[in-house]
Amino acid sequence: MRIIIYTGKGGVGKTSIAAATAYQLAEEGKRTIVLSTDAAHSLSDSLGIRIGGEPQQINDLLWAQEIDSLKETERHWGRVTRWFATFTQWAKLDDIATQDLMIFPGFEELFSLLRIKEHVESGRYDAIIVDCAPTGETLRLLSYPNLLRWWVQNIFPYERKLLKVARPIVKLTKGLELPNDETMESLAHVVLELEQLQKVILDSQRTSVRLVLNPEKMVISEARRAFTHLNLYGFHTDAVIVNKILPKEAAEGYLAQWQKIHQSYEQEIEDCFRPLPILKVPLMSREVIGREMLGRVAAAAFPEGQCGSMLYHGKTEEIDKTESGYVMTLALPFAEKQQVKLNQKGDELTLQVGSYKRIVTLPRMLLSQQVRSAKLANGRLTIYFNENEGDEGQ
């Protein structure tokens, strides 16, 4: 199975690229589903067909789905929110907004992404194309399982023990019910599902992320940050798609200056993102809606008909043994030294780049090792380990 996730700054045309990819793969004989997990759904508009929260067949080999994030939240988080509702009633918190307190930022979109895992397990499709939320939101969503896993491993066992002790005492408090075992199991099950989803997305043999951008300064800057953070979390990016490039025909007249600007930014994109393949799609002569126009986009983006292939293979994380100890190398393109913070405690390595944080559980070979030093050069962070001489993190 092939999974391709499209993301990019809002308005760059990622929905059109995702829909075009899906149509092309179906044309090539692949059973394909295209999903929209963006709360601001526009997949129906792009396809020119009204679709809903469940897979809808478009043609013999193509399905589409605009995932209902509220429905998915109820499926996965309903038991927890229902308990919290009883708590707010007991506490006489009548403000209706309190019902939203248990829906943490990004959870609705994250639960939508769980449909990817379900489609993988169903075996109904050969390819899953995901029209994801804009880059900032997507990156935060993809980091959640790391944080939740840490919470479950380090805090959850103590909370469950505390609840068992406290439950008989709290029963004496009229009207208040602590979460029962089913509610706590529901919470643990959600974390397990998110971990399994992350494994699917991290599988570089079948899953890749493609960045969609326009040849504009702010869009390129955000794409560079996104690429850094995708590498931080270990996600495999196999292509950059430059969309809505002004064609040569625009070299004269009102758009002449814009055409020159696009040309200069095209070169900047080449310099920034190589060796990733840089795929280019011109600004179409009319709106990209429906099968015909999406076909033109696919033909422009994938002239060799390889839209479903893994377009680039490259490791974002490597561990080597040297004479002086182990060395871990992480790809962090465009990161600056002052943005990077590193801390080790036990078998966990916390790596922060700007406002994004990743908790890395060290492999067995590094459990007895301590971070000695680190160096950021040429878009790669090199971390040097040697034998642990104490328990203090650094």
Side-chain angles (χ1 to χ4, degrees):
M1 178 180 287
R2 185 72 169 92
I3 303 169
I4 303 173
I5 299 172
Y6 283 104
T7 190
K9 187 176 173 65
V12 297
K14 58 185 175 56
T15 301
S16 298
I17 301 295
T21 302
Y23 259 123
Q24 181 61 35
L25 286 172
E27 290 286 336
E28 294 174 6
K30 305 287 195 304
R31 297 171 301 161
T32 304
I33 184 168
V34 55
L35 312 172
S36 171
T37 65
D38 191 342
H41 293 303
S42 55
L43 185 57
S44 288
D45 298 325
S46 183
L47 294 170
I49 300 170
R50 179 57 53 193
I51 58 178
E54 295 300 324
Q56 179 174 324
Q57 193 160 8
I58 306 301
N59 60 35
D60 289 346
L61 293 173
L62 179 62
W63 289 259
Q65 179 181 10
E66 288 183 334
I67 298 173
D68 185 335
S69 60
L70 294 178
K71 182 178 177 182
E72 297 305 313
T73 301
E74 171 59 26
R75 285 179 62 204
H76 297 284
W77 204 240
R79 192 183 294 274
V80 177
T81 53
R82 282 191 290 276
W83 170 81
F84 191 70
T86 63
F87 170 78
T88 56
Q89 290 174 8
W90 174 83
K92 294 182 171 53
L93 300 174
D94 298 324
D95 185 353
I96 192 170
T98 58
Q99 297 177 14
D100 299 327
L101 290 177
M102 287 303 290
I103 307 298
F104 304 115
F107 260 36
E108 291 180 349
E109 291 84 354
L110 192 61
F111 293 139
S112 296
L113 286 173
L114 282 172
R115 291 305 290 264
I116 299 173
K117 171 180 166 289
E118 291 181 19
H119 290 319
V120 169
E121 292 172 347
S122 75
R124 296 191 191 101
Y125 309 106
D126 302 312
I128 300 173
I129 311 302
V130 185
D131 172 27
C132 218
T135 42
E137 289 85 346
T138 302
L139 293 168
R140 284 184 171 84
L141 298 184
L142 296 177
S143 71
Y144 269 25
N146 282 326
L147 302 177
L148 290 172
R149 180 173 59 246
W150 180 89
W151 183 81
V152 167
Q153 290 174 347
N154 295 276
I155 304 298
F156 191 68
Y158 298 103
E159 287 196 348
R160 294 196 70 166
K161 290 178 181 177
L162 181 61
L163 284 172
K164 286 183 178 180
V165 172
R167 195 171 285 123
I169 301 171
V170 172
K171 280 185 178 179
L172 300 175
T173 305
K174 187 177 180 181
L176 177 61
E177 288 285 343
L178 289 180
N180 58 27
D181 287 342
E182 288 183 351
T183 302
M184 299 301 286
E185 287 298 334
S186 173
L187 182 59
H189 182 68
V190 167
V191 175
L192 177 62
E193 284 199 306
L194 292 174
E195 281 193 288
Q196 292 172 346
L197 167 67
Q198 192 178 56
K199 288 179 182 177
V200 170
I201 299 177
L202 283 171
D203 183 355
S204 61
Q205 297 302 310
R206 61 176 170 180
T207 304
S208 63
V209 179
R210 291 179 182 171
L211 284 169
V212 182
L213 55 86
N214 303 143
E216 300 172 11
K217 184 177 180 62
M218 287 189 292
V219 178
I220 295 171
S221 296
E222 178 158 334
R224 288 173 54 157
R225 287 191 293 271
F227 189 44
T228 298
H229 298 134
L230 285 168
N231 279 275
L232 169 65
Y233 297 123
F235 299 107
H236 178 60
T237 306
D238 79 328
V240 171
I241 299 178
V242 189
N243 193 27
K244 302 180 183 178
I245 300 172
L246 285 171
K248 293 179 181 179
E249 291 81 358
E252 297 180 5
Y254 180 78
L255 294 175
Q257 188 60 35
W258 272 111
Q259 206 263 350
K260 290 180 181 178
I261 292 171
H262 276 203
Q263 283 185 327
S264 66
Y265 283 133
E266 282 183 66
Q267 185 57 53
E268 181 178 335
I269 292 167
E270 294 275 349
D271 295 339
C272 285
F273 293 100
R274 288 294 185 192
L276 285 178
I278 312 295
L279 311 177
K280 299 180 181 181
V281 179
L283 180 67
M284 295 291 160
S285 57
R286 52 194 175 94
E287 287 184 291
V288 180
I289 296 175
R291 183 171 184 170
E292 179 188 349
M293 292 306 298
L294 290 170
R296 293 188 190 182
V297 169
F302 310 104
E304 298 179 9
Q306 294 181 316
C307 65
S309 302
M310 190 67 73
L311 299 176
Y312 176 76
H313 295 272
K315 292 184 178 179
T316 60
E317 184 176 313
E318 296 179 88
I319 299 175
D320 297 301
K321 192 176 190 316
T322 67
E323 293 182 359
S324 57
Y326 285 96
V327 177
M328 174 185 283
T329 306
L330 298 165
L332 293 179
F334 311 120
E336 298 177 5
K337 184 177 180 179
Q338 63 270 22
Q339 294 179 302
V340 180
K341 295 180 181 179
L342 190 64
N343 182 68
Q344 181 184 4
K345 187 174 182 180
D347 64 348
E348 293 178 346
L349 189 67
T350 302
L351 178 60
Q352 183 170 346
V353 180
S355 60
Y356 293 92
K357 184 183 292 185
R358 177 187 174 193
I359 299 173
V360 180
T361 301
L362 295 173
R364 185 178 300 275
M365 67 184 73
L366 295 180
L367 292 183
S368 63
Q369 305 286 314
Q370 187 75 22
V371 173
R372 172 165 48 90
S373 62
K375 179 177 69 175
L376 180 67
N378 301 318
R380 299 189 74 82
L381 177 67
T382 305
I383 305 169
Y384 300 92
F385 293 82
N386 57 15
E387 283 295 329
N388 192 355
E389 297 177 358
D391 295 326
E392 293 299 317
Q394 68 178 57

